[in-house]
Amino acid sequence: MANAAWSGSELETIRRRESRSAAVARTAANVASRRSVPATLEALAREIQATDGLVGVQVLTNEHDGETLHLLGSAGFPTERPGAFFAKLMACRDRGADLKMLDSFASGETVVVPHRYQVVMTDPAWEPLREYHRSPEWDAFVSVPIKARDEVTGVLNVYLAPGEVVDEDGLDFLASMAEQAGLAIDYARLLERERDAARREERRSLAADLHDSVVQQVFSMGMLARTLGMLTDGSHQDVSKAHQLAEDLQHITADVLADLRSMVTQLRPVRATGDGLAAALSELASRTHRQTGAVIEVDAPSPGPVLEPDLAEDVFLIAAEAIRNAIKHAQAARVRVSVAAPPGRLELTVHDDGGPARAGDGTEVPSPAAASTAVGHDVPHDGAGLSIMRQRGERWGGVVDIDLDGPDGGRVSVSIPLETDEPERHEA
């Protein structure tokens, strides 16, 4: 019997190790596929809680705020408003509560506290968080620091069921999950840097457009107004010429207003319409036709799939850049924009009837591979546009294929994976 009991205990240990290893593997895949830190950390908390002997899990990080720990992932406990948990935690500290998670955050070391539940339930200092922690009942508490590039950016808190003791394997498992949380946070930082780089390039592009169109046209408006003033003064009246200049001034003013509206819309294109990607693309098509005469056809489902605002905006800007390049550099007269949403993917195709795309100086636009290295040089406004299109797609784990010299015109194709609304749940 003793041998049988020992064998059963050994098998239970093996089963727990396999369950924890599977949880780490699923979380690693989650970190690689998701772009939302809260969604990743929420899924991570659920994975940890699904393992044996754990009642509740919290993931807190100081990302975007070095002094405040935000509760971005939780499982087992009531849902709290963003920032509410930390505010209550600080109220407990002000009352004299010993906050072990802050010790872990400050020291960068794992803290294990047995029989913590009774302290929280009986010490008056914990009154602000007592109801939050009351159910389900737990016993021991573990706080593991979360690090990103050797910097402590948060803590992983775990609450053990009564009678459960965290062993060496358990601590290794929690350390692995804290490492995955750190990777998710670091990944988010890299994406933010990438977005910042894209925004800088967009500002440079917008400045160039302002100089090429609006600034020059406003200068022309000033010259026309000055000439108009000279033609209408007492000594040099020329009514016919003044009428002609007034008409020219009206046309230039209309062009400037259209350019400014276009640039303002590009700052928040999809959100500005309020009706999603299909409506934004239709508005872009109408505006481009009015300004250039080119026929822009849009084939997009409405209502389409519900997209993250930043994703919808990036897809829109890829389409806008592709249309702009086709008309400006390939002299396209007709452009077709197609959006499809097969299960789990978003696909965008921009096909034009133009000739080989060329830069403003008559030289051919670099190939996509060459364009990706052109950022920051002189041809770059056009080459950088291609590079930014690729970066926008790759930011969401997608693929952007650019063929500017096809036999039937240019084509930009984008395929981006879409996340499901509900993360999969796994049994331990």
Side-chain angles (χ1 to χ4, degrees):
M1 290 294 293
N3 186 58
W6 179 85
S7 297
S9 175
E10 183 179 50
L11 289 174
E12 176 65 15
T13 299
I14 293 173
R15 188 190 69 79
R16 284 197 177 193
R17 286 176 179 172
E18 290 177 345
S19 174
R20 291 165 175 170
S21 296
V24 172
R26 287 192 296 266
T27 301
N30 208 4
V31 170
S33 63
R34 289 179 180 268
R35 289 149 304 266
S36 166
V37 172
T40 301
L41 299 184
E42 189 75 19
L44 179 142
R46 284 196 296 267
E47 287 285 3
I48 298 174
Q49 197 219 353
T51 60
D52 297 323
L54 302 182
V55 169
V57 177
Q58 300 165 333
V59 187
L60 297 98
T61 173
N62 69 338
E63 190 68 3
H64 305 304
D65 185 345
E67 298 182 355
T68 303
L69 287 172
H70 299 275
L71 182 62
L72 296 188
S74 177
F77 290 116
T79 302
E80 281 280 354
R81 299 190 317 275
F85 177 83
F86 189 75
K88 293 177 181 178
L89 189 69
M90 293 298 97
C92 293
R93 183 193 63 178
D94 294 342
R95 290 166 169 256
D98 183 13
L99 307 182
K100 297 299 185 183
M101 74 173 70
L102 295 188
D103 291 344
S104 177
F105 181 76
S107 67
E109 301 293 335
T110 297
V111 173
V112 180
V113 188
H115 313 306
R116 186 65 166 168
Y117 181 80
Q118 288 303 318
V119 173
V120 173
M121 290 299 110
T122 58
D123 186 345
W126 283 97
E127 194 277 332
L129 276 172
R130 187 167 294 151
E131 288 306 312
Y132 174 87
H133 280 128
R134 185 180 299 279
S135 180
E137 186 177 351
W138 48 279
D139 182 32
F141 168 78
V142 181
S143 185
V144 184
I146 296 172
K147 299 180 181 180
R149 299 179 185 264
D150 296 325
E151 175 190 353
V152 178
T153 61
V155 289
L156 168 63
N157 295 334
V158 175
Y159 301 78
L160 279 67
E164 290 288 334
V165 178
V166 63
D167 56 14
E168 199 66 32
D169 282 343
L171 289 175
D172 288 344
F173 165 65
L174 295 178
S176 295
M177 296 302 264
E179 182 179 2
Q180 295 302 324
L183 289 173
I185 294 168
D186 191 43
Y187 183 40
R189 287 176 174 176
L190 292 175
L191 286 178
E192 189 60 33
R193 288 196 202 100
E194 186 179 276
R195 291 189 183 101
D196 287 343
R199 291 187 191 109
R200 286 194 296 272
E201 181 55 39
E202 287 162 8
R203 287 195 292 269
R204 194 185 70 82
S205 175
L206 186 60
D209 286 343
L210 282 168
H211 180 270
D212 293 343
S213 58
V214 175
V215 172
Q216 294 182 16
Q217 290 181 95
V218 170
F219 175 78
S220 297
M221 290 169 63
M223 295 297 293
L224 286 173
R226 181 179 301 177
T227 304
L228 190 59
M230 294 172 59
L231 292 174
T232 55
D233 68 15
S235 57
H236 299 86
Q237 290 188 0
D238 186 335
V239 177
S240 176
K241 184 64 174 176
H243 278 307
Q244 181 61 50
L245 289 177
E247 288 182 8
D248 291 344
L249 189 57
Q250 288 177 347
H251 289 312
I252 294 177
T253 302
D255 289 342
V256 170
L257 183 59
D259 284 344
L260 286 174
R261 283 175 173 166
S262 175
M263 292 174 188
V264 169
T265 301
Q266 288 180 38
L267 296 177
R268 280 293 182 207
V270 179
R271 299 173 198 182
T273 69
D275 295 319
L277 180 61
L281 290 172
S282 296
E283 171 60 25
L284 172 67
S286 298
R287 186 173 66 249
T288 304
H289 175 67
R290 291 194 302 269
Q291 294 175 356
T292 68
V295 176
I296 315 295
E297 301 174 355
V298 176
D299 180 12
S302 182
V306 178
L307 305 176
E308 294 181 40
D310 288 342
L311 170 58
E313 189 168 304
D314 276 339
V315 173
F316 174 90
L317 290 171
I318 291 173
E321 181 68 21
I323 293 170
R324 174 184 175 278
N325 284 344
I327 295 174
K328 183 175 181 179
H329 301 308
Q331 292 75 50
R334 184 178 295 271
V335 181
R336 181 175 178 80
V337 181
S338 301
V339 178
R345 301 198 74 78
L346 179 70
E347 297 179 349
L348 168 75
T349 303
V350 181
H351 183 206
D352 68 76
D353 65 354
R358 295 182 178 275
D361 61 358
T363 60
E364 290 191 6
V365 172
S367 66
S372 66
T373 64
V375 179
H377 298 288
D378 287 334
V379 178
H381 184 93
D382 305 290
L386 303 181
S387 178
I388 288 176
M389 279 195 286
R390 296 169 69 87
Q391 290 174 14
R392 290 188 187 282
E394 291 167 359
R395 178 183 306 166
W396 301 97
V399 176
V400 179
D401 182 55
I402 303 173
D403 181 6
L404 301 180
D405 300 319
D408 58 347
R411 184 185 299 271
V412 175
S413 301
V414 185
S415 180
I416 294 174
L418 296 180
E419 298 176 6
T420 56
D421 292 335
E422 279 294 324
E424 294 182 5
R425 295 179 181 271
H426 302 276
E427 297 298 327

